[in-house]
Amino acid sequence: QVQLVESGGGLVQAGGSLRLSCAASGRTLSSYALAWFRQAPGKEREFVAAINWWGGFTYYAISVKGRFTISRDNAKNTGYLQMNSLKAEDTAVYFCAVTPPPYSSSDNDYDYWGLGTQVTVSS
């Protein structure tokens, strides 16, 4: 079992930045690919970004590519999502999730999920 806890969400103005963290416990994070998903009110959960188990490969949704950066520090058992140039449409609850390799953009492939952290971008 892996427990995941997200943090770093909050209220930010459009154009601002936030850095989300995903702290893992129970098992070493290096055994898993890690991803971020988000869900806005009234919408389905959508893929944001993924990173392979050792951090050498990343994959982004088109809507965030060039603005968001996913990373991980396996020594700290923590994953990150740096979000820059935030837009109002980025407002959502952000979830981190992990799965055994390889990484995927489908939420159906992820076994463990955090409870999420709210990101609100004011325009």
Side-chain angles (χ1 to χ4, degrees):
Q1 290 282 344
V2 179
Q3 292 78 44
L4 303 172
V5 178
E6 301 94 338
S7 62
L11 175 64
V12 63
Q13 289 188 335
S17 298
L18 282 174
R19 187 194 195 202
L20 305 184
S21 297
C22 173
S25 61
R27 285 191 178 181
T28 177
L29 192 61
S30 60
S31 300
Y32 300 93
L34 182 148
W36 289 91
F37 292 82
R38 66 186 182 187
Q39 187 166 21
K43 295 187 177 181
E44 292 187 354
R45 186 165 57 191
E46 65 173 356
F47 170 77
V48 175
I51 188 167
N52 75 323
W53 68 271
W54 58 276
F57 295 97
T58 57
Y59 180 59
Y60 297 90
I62 292 175
S63 59
V64 306
K65 194 170 185 178
R67 300 188 296 122
F68 291 11
T69 303
I70 189 171
S71 63
R72 63 191 298 159
D73 185 337
N74 287 340
K76 296 182 178 180
N77 242 25
T78 303
Y80 304 96
L81 185 68
Q82 177 67 43
M83 305 186 296
N84 298 328
S85 302
L86 283 161
K87 306 175 181 179
E89 51 264 42
D90 295 318
T91 295
V93 177
Y94 283 70
F95 302 89
C96 66
V98 297
T99 186
Y103 63 79
S104 166
S105 61
S106 172
D107 58 358
N108 290 330
D109 292 332
Y110 286 83
D111 300 319
Y112 302 103
W113 292 80
L115 295 179
T117 184
Q118 176 71 47
V119 171
T120 302
V121 184
S122 63
S123 56

